[in-house]
């Protein structure tokens, strides 16, 4: 007879950041969300989330952006772990260590990546063996952007962004991200878009605000054509983010002038994402942006990369 496997003492999961290659925002819905059509790409900036049994719920931040991680009960990783423990009636209390390398409140789904990582880590810690679609359903309860870091790669998002469909793509793309010191609040940026749309007598709830992604972008991805993808990048939230932070427009224009194939606000910002031709071009652009003094924190990454995955699960000695 074989002994039952010993449960791991702690589990570490790595989850990627995202950039929206295209983000089309439709009408404001009665539930306060907007219909979206978006294309996500997972990029090689990662958070690592470790969960271990403990005597009180706690978040322990580490890594590049440790000082900006919220440690209270509103932290999405804790909410993710509690969601699983409540649904499966598990009494364990966890310590959650977050090694934070994805900018906080930057429009790169850093909090969502932590929630996705915590779901997968708890699934392993507690030996639940959840299917990917069960995890995706839990993820959607936590936030519109949480299902994508579980999936990774390239995907089209619809609904409020949480309904995913795979997207055919070829090749690797090279990105430069210009990161701001102070984050932007996602609801605030959507509210600003509604305000801009309502100015001049418009209506943010008008169904004419259609949410469809462009065939040019899909074709560029299928061909692995960075030049064409650079031209097709589009974010309806750009203008709202520029309205709240005019310096972001200056930054975007400077990056394009320095040779980026295209630039846009990442998600709801304030990170500005630039697509470049090659790894070398991304190095050159980073140097130019740093010298311009428009931005101090510059990160490079490639995409697409895989979604959340277990990197270690230590078992009792
Ligand atoms: O789903 P999540 O909690 O990440 O959304 C945060 C906020 O962003 C929402 O409360 C809403 O104000 C805004 N949002 C939206 N439409 C979406 C996604 C988010 O208006 N599709």
């Amino acid at each position: 007879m074989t002994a039952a496997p010993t449960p791991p003492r702690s589990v570490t999961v790595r989850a990627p950041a995202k950039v929206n290659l295209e983000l089309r925002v439709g009408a404001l819905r009665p539930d306060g969300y907007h219909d979206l059509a978006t294309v996500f790409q997972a990029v090689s900036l990662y958070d690592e989330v470790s969960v271990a049994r403990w005597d009180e719920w706690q978040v322990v931040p580490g890594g590049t952006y440790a000082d900006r991680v919220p440690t209270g009960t509103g932290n999405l990783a804790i909410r993710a772990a509690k969601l699983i423990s409540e649904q499966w009636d598990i009494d364990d209390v966890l310590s959650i260590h977050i090694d934070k390398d994805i900018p906080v409140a930057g429009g790169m789904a850093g909090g969502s990546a932590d929630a996705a990582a915590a779901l997968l880590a708890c699934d392993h810690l507690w030996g639940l063996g959840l299917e990917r679609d069960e995890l995706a359903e839990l993820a959607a309860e936590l936030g519109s952007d949480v299902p994508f870091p579980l999936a990774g790669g390239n995907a089209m998002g619809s609904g409020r962004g949480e309904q995913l469909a795979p997207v055919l793509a070829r090749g690797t793309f090279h990105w430069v991200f210009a990161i701001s010191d102070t984050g932007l609040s996602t609801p605030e940026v959507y509210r600003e878009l509604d305000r801009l749309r309502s100015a001049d007598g418009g209506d943010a709830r008008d169904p004419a605000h259609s949410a469809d992604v462009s065939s040019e972008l899909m074709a560029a991805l299928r061909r692995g054509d960075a030049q064409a993808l650079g031209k097709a990048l589009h974010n309806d939230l750009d203008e709202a983010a520029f309205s709240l932070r005019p310096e972001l427009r200056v930054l975007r224009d400077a990056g394009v002038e320095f040779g980026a194939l295209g630039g846009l606000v990442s998600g709801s910002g304030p990170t500005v994402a630039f697509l470049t031709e090659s790894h070398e071009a991304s190095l050159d652009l980073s140097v130019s942006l740093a010298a311009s003094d428009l931005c101090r924190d510059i990160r490079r990454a490639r995409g697409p990369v895989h979604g959340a995955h277990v990197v270690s699960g230590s078992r009792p000695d």
Side-chain angles (χ1 to χ4, degrees):
M1 198 176 83
T2 45
T6 330
R9 202 166 44 191
S10 71
V11 177
T12 301
V13 169
R14 200 172 209 226
K18 60 88 181 163
V19 59
N20 300 77
L21 307 176
E22 181 165 3
L23 176 52
R24 300 277 175 183
V25 182
L28 172 62
R29 311 190 315 198
D31 65 1
Y33 283 89
H34 295 74
D35 280 319
L36 289 189
T38 189
V39 179
F40 296 107
Q41 180 166 100
V43 296
S44 61
L45 296 179
Y46 300 96
D47 282 356
E48 280 191 10
V49 174
S50 306
V51 296
R53 292 178 183 84
W54 200 245
D55 46 19
E56 58 178 355
W57 285 99
Q58 65 169 18
V59 171
V60 182
T64 317
Y65 303 106
D67 55 337
R68 295 187 52 203
V69 175
T71 54
T73 46
N75 182 292
L76 262 188
I78 282 211
R79 285 178 44 207
K82 286 189 173 170
L83 182 65
I84 294 206
S85 73
E86 279 157 19
Q87 292 210 1
W88 273 266
D89 244 345
I90 297 165
D91 286 331
D92 284 353
V93 167
L94 302 180
S95 175
I96 304 179
H97 184 275
I98 301 178
D99 204 315
K100 187 106 207 112
D101 199 39
I102 304 175
V104 175
M108 300 190 74
S112 300
D114 299 346
L119 288 175
L120 189 59
C122 289
D123 174 43
H124 278 251
L125 184 76
W126 292 325
L128 300 173
L130 297 178
E131 301 289 339
R132 282 275 160 169
D133 56 349
E134 290 177 279
L135 287 168
E137 223 168 274
L138 292 166
E141 277 186 49
L142 292 160
S144 313
D145 278 349
V146 182
F148 179 67
L150 276 174
N154 297 287
M156 171 139 156
S158 57
R160 57 187 167 87
E162 87 289 11
Q163 294 163 23
L164 299 179
V167 163
L168 266 184
R170 178 179 294 168
T172 294
F173 297 95
H174 301 274
W175 294 94
V176 175
F177 296 101
I179 291 148
S180 298
D181 291 340
T182 33
L184 266 176
S185 131
T186 302
E188 196 188 342
V189 177
Y190 276 100
R191 266 199 305 275
E192 182 64 6
L193 176 71
D194 292 341
R195 195 189 65 75
L196 293 172
R197 284 179 169 178
S198 302
D200 303 325
D203 186 344
R205 288 162 299 187
D206 187 344
H209 296 300
S210 77
D212 288 315
V213 299
S214 69
S215 52
E216 286 82 2
L217 186 117
M218 292 302 203
L221 276 175
R222 271 198 306 276
R223 294 198 307 271
D225 181 341
Q227 295 269 358
L229 184 62
K231 286 199 189 85
L233 295 174
H234 177 89
N235 185 355
D236 276 347
L237 293 175
D238 270 357
E239 288 306 320
F242 293 157
S243 166
L244 294 167
R245 298 267 186 89
E247 69 276 17
L248 296 179
R249 188 194 299 277
V250 179
L251 179 59
R252 194 271 316 265
D253 291 349
V256 171
E257 209 164 286
F258 293 148
L261 300 176
L264 80 177
V265 170
S266 179
S268 57
T271 300
V272 180
F274 297 104
L275 182 66
T276 63
E277 181 74 65
S278 61
H279 175 68
E280 291 69 29
S282 72
L283 287 170
D284 290 346
L285 180 61
S286 306
V287 171
S288 304
L289 283 170
S292 76
D293 244 5
L294 291 168
C295 176
R296 270 180 294 152
D297 189 5
I298 295 156
R299 308 289 304 275
R300 282 177 291 107
R302 71 193 147 72
V305 296
H306 291 298
H309 52 282
V310 176
V311 288
S312 72
S314 66
R315 293 180 187 279
D317 304 319

